[in-house]
Amino acid sequence: MSNASRDPELHVALIGYGKGGEVFHAPLIDAVPGLRLAAVVTGNPERARAVRERYPGAVVHPTVADLWAHADRYEIAVVTTPNDTHAPLARAALENGLDVVVDKPFALTSADARELTDLAEKLGRVLTVYQNRRWDADFLTLWGLVEEGALGRVHRFESRFERWRPQAKGTWRESGGVEAGAGLLYDLGPHLIDQAVNLFGPVSSVYAEVDTLREGVQADDDVFLALQHARGTRSHLWMSAVAAQNGPRFRVLGDAGAFTSHGMDAQEARLTAGERPDADDWGVMPESSWGVLGTEGSTRRVPSARGAYQEFYAGVRDAVGEGDPLPVDPHEVTHGLEIIEAARRSARTGSVVRLE
């Protein structure tokens, strides 16, 4: 008998407790009513101690095999482990009777993503992907402006995730190879691409410049993508670890006006500092961070929408418990992986790659 038959809360097993598990998943799960962080899988003794201190009600499983042996205690598995393990662990979780959340990137190939989606549909299980940046304050603000037509017809969307990290940290994301899912195109690319596709629809062609500039780094650390959307908008996306001065986070040009914003959504920094997303002022951005809307000589600051990463997990709860629509549809994210694959081909050949 599963816990669902005797407990109103859905029991979540979190697989992995690195930065992703500790910062981006556990606090959100713990803060959303109707979900219980019931278990964490980690074989690292320090991380296990950290779990027991912060979430004393959670069981620590030392291996995924131990989790599968007790799978009937849980309803949902969350996969937040190194990128090349996402698809295998998601498949195993589905086959063990669990609904599944997979951190980005959903998989390393679009073929693997389609296989996982087909398997979930065959088994009648919920499968969704953690694309938290859909709930960034600046993105929600921009979404509202586009929807209400404040920019008119948008012809160019510029979006950046840029950092200044001239010395590599030696983590697997930097020291590993592309075949293991390392590099910025797999790390930041899923966010930037997902936001562009959500705003302006499917992409018909891709041009990419993909570089590895720092010593001791195997995978890409400086990337530019030019996407042509089927409906006409062009998206220019930058991701870099070697940007000594950052460009605007968003610059969006339409035939009725433009929107520009700088800086990053504050939710990641607050989660990293140990704050909880149920704070009264969660997701509120100061006026100094608001974006600017208008035309040259006639602009105004636009109050930021409230950021809300926790809404993703509220959506997971409702999809699993009530059969509501998924917070993130895997088919949308699979298109993002097709774009990443096209970008790899474009960078190798120096040509524009067209998508079907």
Side-chain angles (χ1 to χ4, degrees):
M1 180 183 297
S2 78
N3 280 322
S5 62
R6 59 179 185 270
D7 193 317
E9 292 183 309
L10 295 168
H11 298 73
V12 182
L14 178 62
I15 304 173
Y17 202 71
K19 180 179 180 180
E22 181 181 12
V23 172
F24 285 109
H25 292 275
L28 304 182
I29 296 165
D30 189 53
V32 170
L35 296 181
R36 179 187 298 180
L37 183 61
V40 176
V41 178
T42 179
N44 182 300
E46 290 186 9
R47 293 176 181 174
R49 281 194 296 273
V51 171
R52 293 187 178 103
E53 288 175 4
R54 188 168 182 182
Y55 307 104
V59 174
V60 176
H61 291 288
T63 65
V64 287
D66 191 56
L67 173 64
W68 305 147
H70 300 92
D72 62 349
R73 298 179 182 177
Y74 314 107
E75 287 78 48
I76 303 168
V78 176
V79 178
T80 174
T81 50
N83 293 347
D84 58 348
T85 66
H86 286 185
L89 286 173
R91 171 178 289 276
L94 291 168
E95 291 173 341
N96 276 279
L98 297 170
D99 296 311
V100 180
V101 174
V102 187
D103 207 340
K104 60 80 195 167
F106 181 24
L108 295 189
T109 69
S110 58
D112 284 345
R114 283 188 288 269
E115 287 181 8
L116 282 175
T117 304
D118 290 345
L119 177 62
E121 292 173 355
K122 176 183 175 182
L123 296 175
R125 305 243 62 99
V126 166
L127 174 66
T128 189
V129 186
Y130 183 68
Q131 293 286 168
N132 61 304
R133 296 292 181 175
R134 294 189 186 187
W135 288 270
D136 275 355
D138 51 9
F139 179 72
L140 292 172
T141 305
L142 174 58
W143 177 278
L145 293 173
V146 171
E147 286 291 293
E148 70 186 42
L151 301 172
R153 183 184 63 81
V154 174
H155 55 267
R156 182 178 298 168
F157 171 59
E158 299 177 4
S159 178
R160 292 170 173 84
F161 276 168
E162 295 177 324
R163 302 163 174 167
W164 177 234
R165 295 179 179 171
Q167 302 301 320
K169 293 183 177 181
T171 64
W172 67 265
R173 293 184 187 278
E174 296 182 322
S175 61
V178 171
E179 70 283 351
L184 291 187
L185 196 50
Y186 276 125
D187 184 24
L188 302 180
H191 290 312
L192 296 176
I193 292 167
D194 186 72
Q195 289 182 335
V197 170
N198 268 265
L199 283 170
F200 303 113
V203 167
S204 57
S205 68
V206 179
Y207 169 76
E209 298 170 4
V210 179
D211 292 309
T212 303
L213 301 177
R214 294 173 296 171
E215 291 186 9
V217 173
Q218 294 188 52
D220 45 276
D221 57 9
D222 190 69
V223 178
F224 167 73
L225 302 181
L227 311 181
Q228 176 68 59
H229 295 267
R231 297 204 298 257
T233 303
R234 294 184 187 274
S235 287
H236 290 173
L237 312 178
W238 289 263
M239 57 208 83
S240 180
V242 290
Q245 293 186 17
N246 295 345
R249 172 68 185 90
F250 291 131
R251 191 173 81 121
V252 192
L253 306 179
D255 60 10
F259 176 76
T260 305
S261 66
H262 292 80
M264 296 294 293
D265 179 278
Q267 292 177 89
E268 177 177 352
R270 295 184 68 174
L271 288 168
T272 301
E275 295 188 53
R276 286 174 56 88
D278 48 7
D280 290 341
D281 65 343
W282 187 261
V284 176
M285 298 295 288
E287 186 173 350
S288 59
S289 297
W290 294 358
V292 175
L293 172 68
T295 60
E296 190 68 31
S298 179
T299 60
R300 63 178 177 87
R301 287 197 172 273
V302 179
S304 286
R306 190 166 183 167
Y309 290 171
Q310 69 276 13
E311 287 302 312
F312 170 82
Y313 271 108
V316 171
R317 174 200 62 203
D318 295 343
V320 173
E322 306 295 334
D324 285 2
L326 297 171
V328 175
D329 190 315
H331 294 93
E332 298 170 355
V333 182
T334 299
H335 181 52
L337 290 168
E338 293 170 344
I339 293 168
I340 289 175
E341 291 167 340
R344 296 278 181 210
R345 293 197 299 273
S346 173
R348 286 196 303 269
T349 62
S351 62
V352 173
V353 174
R354 303 198 177 279
L355 299 178
E356 294 182 5

